[in-house]
Structures are given as C-alpha cells and as structure tokens.
Amino acid sequence: MSLLKLRLSMYGTLAVIIAISTLFFAAVLSALGAFNIFFLAGLVFIFNLLQWLYAPKIIEGLYHVRELRREEAPRLHQLFDRLVQKIGLRDKPKLMIAEMPIPNAFAYGSPLTGNRVAVTRELLRVLEEEEVEAVLGHELGHLKHRDVQIMMFVSVLPAIFYFIGYSLLLSGYFGGYGRRDEEAIAPLAIGGASLAIYWILSLFVLGLSRYREYYADRASVSIVDDGARKLSEALAKIVYHTGRAKRRFQQESGLMNSFRTLFISDPGRAEKDVEALAYHGWRRLSDQALVKEIASRKLTLADRIAELFSTHPNIVKRIRVLQRLREGKA
C-alpha cells in the first residue's frame, strides 16, 4: 500500500465516520426532538472525555506501569532520545516500563499527564536492541500522528449511537405499556436503527485503527535505519512469544485485552496467530527465516473476515507490507 493510498484511505474512512454520524444524528433529532437526544449525546461525550483524560492513570494501574529511570536503562534512554529528535516531537514523551508477562509496547497520554511510551519488561528481554528501536519508532509515530486523540474522537461517535439506541429501545419497550402499540413503534424503530449505525460505525473505526497501525509502521521505517527489517522481526517475535505467554497466563488474558487498541500488536489475536501460523519448532529459525515463513502463509477467507473485526492488521499482511517497504516497492 503506497503512502498516498494509505493517507487517502485513512482520511476517507474518517470522513465516512463523521458523515454517517452527522446525517443519522440529524435524522434522530428531527424525528424525536432535540433536547433529550442532545442531553444524552452530551452526557456520553463528557463521559468519554473524562475517560480519556484519566485513562493514563487507569492504564498504569492495570498494567503496573512506572517511569523508567535513566540510570536503570541508559542505552535505551539514549536510543529513545535520538528517535524523539528524529521524528520531530517538540515535547519529549516519558519513557515508561510495564511489568507485564507479554512482550509489547504502547503509546498513551492526555492533557493531564502528557504523552508517554511504555515498553514491557518482557519486550526488553525477548527482543534485540535494534528491534526495540523499531518498536519505539512505531509508538512515537502514533504520538506524532496524534492517534491517541483521533481514535478517542472517533470512538465517541459509535458510543453516542449505542447509548441513544439502547435508551430508545428501553423507552419504547417500557413506555409501550398503557399506550397504543403504534406509539411505541417510533422509539423502537429509531433505537434499532441507532444500534445498527453503532455497529456500522464500529467497523469503520476498527478499519481506521488498522490504517493508523500501518501509518505508524511507516513512521518507524522512516526514522530507524533498516527499520522495515527490524520492525518485521520484532512483530514476528512479539506475536510468537505473546501467544505462548497467554497459554501460561490465562487468568490475565482479559486484563491484557482491556486496552488492546494501544498495543503495537493485539494480544487478543496472538494465540490464534500462533496456532494458525504453525509456529511449532520455529524457535530454531533465524529471525529473517521466521519473518519469511509468516509472509509466505496463504491468507484464507476466514483470515480476511476476522481482520474486519480486529483493531490491528493481519500479521501476515502487515509483515508483507514491511517487506515491500524494505524492497522499495511500497
């Protein structure tokens, strides 16, 4: 996927989300009257805004995140400082460490806390330094592109329609008692349509999330020397080790998935990817042999359907794009 095509896809998806939301919201307002719907939409927006503002504290509590002191990892801090300068961020994010049993990384933040990039201790154990560099480049790409803010904004829109639909269905169902049946039809119909719009918008939001992962991958490639190779090796190892770790830590699987849109690789998909990619015995392969093995796998219809409901691109497609970038073909 070329950079121009990727940008057009992202902006087009964002425009569709806003257009569908605006048109249907206007239709709901005209059908039911503005006051209650505006109040409900405002309530949902405020709730999501507060959630975004305080999410960093929630994330740090869930994933045992703390600031990584420079004296603990001086080489990593030097690497991080160099990447921050190369990507052109005016305000340097804080480098954090997460005590999690899986190798991963994520960028997050809010106006209250500032931006932060976290790596898990397991990531530092599993990956080589050059692969960690590529992962950090990806996360800084998210901050450079303001993905945290954009995804928060677009995630609010489906949430508004969900709460509108749910409240109207309840209103129509319970309010229908003691009234003529036809009086309950309107809120039930609009409520059902709102939930349908919520589902459609959610698919577009997932699509936008996948595009932005590709975009962050490109950012890493642009600031890291031989970044396409390093990042593809990092992703292959992350998927493999996460899949194995989730088998050992089943009780923490739900916790790992709580904010899975943040991670560089979706921990919720890792175990299935490991099984589907037939990783058994692959520990004997070199890093590049592992990458080529993944890229050579044939995508099935089931894979393509599953990707529609995923926050991250299919690992096979993602690594193929990185290979094309390395070859100068994308």
Side-chain angles (χ1 to χ4, degrees):
M1 183 183 294
S2 68
L3 181 58
L4 177 60
K5 184 178 179 181
L6 178 60
R7 284 176 173 169
L8 289 175
S9 298
M10 283 193 306
Y11 297 143
T13 303
L14 183 59
V16 169
I17 292 171
I18 295 173
I20 292 175
S21 302
T22 303
L23 289 172
F24 195 79
F25 195 61
V28 171
L29 290 176
S30 63
L32 295 177
F35 177 75
N36 290 334
I37 299 300
F38 268 131
F39 176 77
L40 182 59
L43 194 64
V44 173
F45 177 79
I46 291 171
F47 173 79
N48 280 273
L49 179 62
L50 291 174
Q51 178 180 308
W52 172 52
L53 291 174
Y54 289 98
K57 297 299 181 184
I58 300 172
I59 291 166
E60 289 170 1
L62 283 175
Y63 297 140
H64 311 291
V65 181
R66 63 172 177 82
E67 187 170 0
L68 182 64
R69 297 189 301 273
R70 183 171 288 273
E71 58 269 23
E72 293 181 83
R75 284 179 60 85
L76 186 62
H77 269 279
Q78 290 173 5
L79 188 65
F80 186 65
D81 292 346
R82 186 166 68 249
L83 291 175
V84 169
Q85 187 174 15
K86 288 182 74 173
I87 205 168
L89 286 174
R90 288 181 296 180
D91 297 321
K92 179 188 170 185
K94 287 185 178 180
L95 184 59
M96 316 293 284
I97 184 83
E99 302 293 345
M100 295 177 65
I102 60 170
N104 224 304
F106 48 96
Y108 64 107
S110 77
L112 296 181
T113 62
N115 289 326
R116 302 178 178 193
V117 172
V119 293
T120 67
R121 192 171 296 280
E122 187 70 2
L123 182 92
L124 301 180
R125 186 188 72 81
V126 166
L127 300 190
E128 299 171 24
E129 185 179 274
E130 64 175 13
E131 295 162 351
V132 174
E133 178 187 17
V135 169
L136 289 174
H138 172 97
E139 298 307 330
L140 289 172
H142 278 308
L143 296 179
K144 178 69 174 179
H145 303 148
R146 301 187 182 277
D147 287 337
V148 175
Q149 294 90 333
I150 290 172
M151 293 310 298
M152 189 282 296
F153 167 72
V154 298
S155 297
V156 169
L157 299 176
I160 289 173
F161 285 103
Y162 174 80
F163 281 100
I164 288 175
Y166 189 69
S167 63
L168 288 175
L169 286 178
L170 287 179
S171 173
Y173 180 76
F174 290 108
Y177 292 115
R179 299 188 304 173
R180 295 193 309 274
D181 290 342
E182 58 268 22
E183 292 180 345
I185 291 177
L188 287 173
I190 297 174
S194 297
L195 291 180
I197 293 296
Y198 154 76
W199 187 80
I200 292 170
L201 285 175
S202 295
L203 290 180
F204 278 106
V205 170
L206 289 172
L208 183 63
S209 176
R210 293 192 297 272
Y211 285 134
R212 302 201 79 80
E213 290 299 325
Y214 283 125
Y215 202 28
D217 284 351
R218 282 181 172 271
S220 179
V221 172
S222 70
I223 63 172
V224 175
D225 294 335
D226 199 14
R229 175 187 64 81
K230 295 174 183 178
L231 187 56
S232 60
E233 291 176 1
L235 289 171
K237 287 182 177 179
I238 287 170
V239 168
Y240 171 58
H241 287 281
T242 301
R244 295 186 65 216
K246 287 196 70 178
R247 293 172 183 171
R248 299 196 305 269
F249 299 98
Q250 287 296 330
Q251 70 276 14
E252 296 188 30
S253 293
L255 182 64
M256 293 176 191
N257 295 336
S258 298
F259 288 90
R260 64 184 185 177
T261 56
L262 294 176
F263 293 114
I264 188 171
S265 178
D266 182 0
R269 289 283 313 166
E271 192 170 359
K272 292 180 180 178
D273 286 336
V274 167
E275 293 172 355
L277 295 170
Y279 270 22
H280 308 295
W282 284 19
R283 280 177 292 180
R284 295 186 294 273
L285 296 177
S286 67
D287 293 345
Q288 268 305 297
L290 180 62
V291 168
K292 290 178 180 177
E293 196 74 35
I294 294 174
S296 66
R297 178 178 177 266
K298 184 178 179 181
L299 288 171
T300 65
L301 179 61
D303 292 329
R304 299 181 188 280
I305 293 174
E307 188 183 29
L308 294 175
F309 301 94
S310 176
T311 57
H312 290 65
N314 178 282
I315 185 63
V316 176
K317 291 173 61 177
R318 194 171 178 184
I319 285 181
R320 285 178 183 174
V321 169
L322 286 169
Q323 284 188 318
R324 290 197 293 272
L325 285 172
R326 189 183 180 191
E327 297 166 358
K329 296 179 180 178

